[in-house]
Amino acid sequence: MENTSGGGAGAVVPPEVDRWNWGAFLLTWIWGIGNGTFIAFLVFVPLVNIPMFFVLGAKGSAWAWQNKRWNSVEDFRRTQRTWARWGIIIPVLFVLLFGGIFWSILSAMKGSDAYKLAVSELQRSEQVTEVLGTPITTGFPTGGIQVTGGDGKANLSFSAEGPKGKGEVYIEAVEAMGQWRVEHAVFEDAATKQRIELAQ
């Protein structure tokens, strides 16, 4: 069969080529650049973007065949299999990268002096012990910590749970000359919404 690749929109697409394209579906505009199929940039257009993933999966092979010159059908299919493999590898790498960054941030916050100080205030409260029982376990904090030199500020919240119940801890703490102190901390019981002051 004559090699019709690169012949534009009117070029005949061989049946062996006109198949679902996982590389186009998974990598969209990146795949589009590599395959001369710039319609893939429609994934950046609101309302069109989500359907475009599926359009690229269904029509991507035909468009890539028509838009770019290929040595043969086998050359085309081999290249598209490579795109499909990268379509799996790249998202996994991004998930691992951002997951690792996110986990590092949470771990750093849980190891911070501000968090440890809040946990200490929580465990020292007799009222909280009555509500939760012992032992009390705490979750990863969310919020933010800002430190400049020896000064800093923290606004954190984290879960607290014991044999008798659970709740949420909210804390505002400041650091001055390298020393953290709690300015305001409360525990909110999940069941009753009662709030207990941990530090004044």
Side-chain angles (χ1 to χ4, degrees):
M1 180 180 175
E2 180 188 357
N3 186 341
T4 59
S5 66
V12 176
V13 180
E16 313 95 286
V17 167
D18 196 8
R19 298 177 179 179
W20 180 267
N21 193 309
W22 283 108
F25 175 76
L26 295 169
L27 294 177
T28 62
W29 64 274
I30 299 174
W31 173 91
I33 292 173
N35 289 272
T37 306
F38 303 109
I39 195 173
F41 280 94
L42 286 177
V43 295
F44 294 112
V45 178
L47 302 179
V48 178
N49 48 7
I50 300 301
M52 199 61 196
F53 279 80
F54 297 93
V55 172
L56 285 169
K59 297 292 293 180
S61 291
W63 287 339
W65 178 264
Q66 293 170 333
N67 293 335
K68 186 176 178 180
R69 183 69 181 175
W70 302 89
N71 293 329
S72 64
V73 168
E74 185 50 43
D75 173 45
F76 176 86
R77 294 182 65 185
R78 181 170 53 250
T79 301
Q80 297 311 312
R81 285 194 295 269
T82 300
W83 276 105
R85 283 193 290 271
W86 279 108
I88 296 170
I89 293 170
I90 290 176
V92 168
L93 289 176
F94 270 106
V95 168
L96 291 175
L97 175 62
F98 287 106
I101 292 172
F102 183 68
W103 180 260
S104 298
I105 292 171
L106 287 181
S107 298
M109 289 177 68
K110 192 163 187 176
S112 68
D113 289 337
Y115 173 80
K116 292 176 182 177
L117 189 58
V119 172
S120 175
E121 293 287 350
L122 176 75
Q123 294 176 337
R124 200 162 47 222
S125 171
E126 295 181 2
Q127 287 178 282
V128 172
T129 301
E130 289 178 10
V131 173
L132 298 182
T134 55
I136 296 173
T137 58
T138 56
F140 281 100
T142 59
I145 300 175
Q146 298 175 332
V147 177
T148 305
D151 297 329
K153 185 176 183 180
N155 289 282
L156 303 174
S157 65
F158 56 89
S159 61
E161 187 171 351
K164 296 163 63 177
K166 58 184 178 180
E168 193 78 9
V169 177
Y170 303 93
I171 175 177
E172 294 178 356
V174 295
E175 181 187 28
M177 300 178 65
Q179 184 68 41
W180 282 95
R181 73 174 187 278
V182 175
E183 285 204 325
H184 189 205
V186 296
F187 167 79
E188 183 178 84
D189 182 25
T192 65
K193 300 304 179 184
Q194 173 193 3
R195 286 198 159 199
I196 299 172
E197 294 285 341
L198 301 179
Q200 299 292 337

